[in-house]
Amino acid sequence: MGYHLLLPWLGDGLLVSNGPKWARNRRLLTPAFHYEILKPYVDVYNSCSEVLLNKWSALAKKNEPVMAFESVSLLTLDVVLQCAFSFKSDCQDTGTRSPYIQGVYDLSEWVVQRVMYAPYQSDLVFHLSHDGKKFRKACKVVHDHSEKASGGSKMTEGTLGASKKAQGKYLDFLDILLTAVDEEGRGLSDLDVRNEADTFMFEGHDTTASGISWTLYLLAKHPEHQEKCRDEIRTVLDGRSHLEFADLPKLQYTPLCIKEAMKEFNPLRFSSEILHPYAYVPFSAGPRNCIGQNFAINEEKVVVSNILRRFELRADDSHCIEMDPKIILRAKYDIKLHLKPLPSST
């Protein structure tokens, strides 16, 4: 895919940039994903999961199914807004698809159209087209959303991190962007901050929503693996209601299922300790591998564990599951799941 087609949307951030600029910004952003920064995010994953679980519990009481992508996308957006900008929204409570999520879906569609339809690969032709006009409108929606989420945070950048630590608050992604400086004492420009924020907003919510949704679907289709995951989660929790950061490495089988979620579903293929480094590449590999992969995997572990702790999942076999490969692999008609509430002790 031509990554330059993403420039009007994501700007020249880590996903798109190359050469010295990419190398410099990669160095500046790497501290944002240090495990000490990631540790407090587990509380965010848990609190956002609870909102989803309460919504699903209400539906389960009425024997109504849930649409996985729709619900999980709102959850992961809620997570990324809090972890990236310390911005608490009511996006999970609105009852409708977030304008930001709809904008991401639309932009993904048009980027793929540009790849597949030769005339649209011309910037001029696409700009003058009706689709080009809608693309620019969707760009404004997602950019305005990022601006709103990050608004008011650009304060006394040199003391921002120290101030939040003194208040006992976690550092978010924007804090790292604002305080990062290179060897010459130069930080990121305002445009660089916006580009990296837009990139993290997209990559931090849409990809994890897809991974979690497909994992839930395949666990619903394979109840024997679902139960093995649930048994492991119960053992790790040992009577507690939520996972903590120190619990994540103790999960062994559940991550295998998450890794396997877009293959034939044989999780044990990843159980070997000796694997070729390119045997598993959803986060790419080499120097340009995904900088936020630990953030994503941790979130998926916590969310999937919380759901399996509360519900037994069953797929709706009458519902059409059609893969929809855009920038992210989605289900064209979403994924319909039936829920059976489990005793609170599990």
Side-chain angles (χ1 to χ4, degrees), residues 304-322:
V304 170
S305 295
N306 283 332
I307 291 171
L308 295 184
R309 177 178 57 84
R310 291 276 291 272
F311 301 107
E312 180 181 313
L313 309 177
R314 181 173 57 83
D316 187 327
D317 293 331
S318 67
H319 182 73
C320 176
I321 299 294
E322 182 178 334

Side-chain angles (χ1 to χ4, degrees), residues 14 37 41 58 67 159 164 175-176 180 198 213 218 227 266 284 286 298 330 334 346:
L14 280 185
I37 299 294
Y41 292 170
M67 305 305 286
T159 60
K164 293 191 79 169
D175 296 332
I176 304 297
D198 284 333
S213 298
L218 288 167
E227 193 57 35
N266 173 22
S284 189
N298 289 350
R330 302 191 183 96
D334 211 319
T346 61

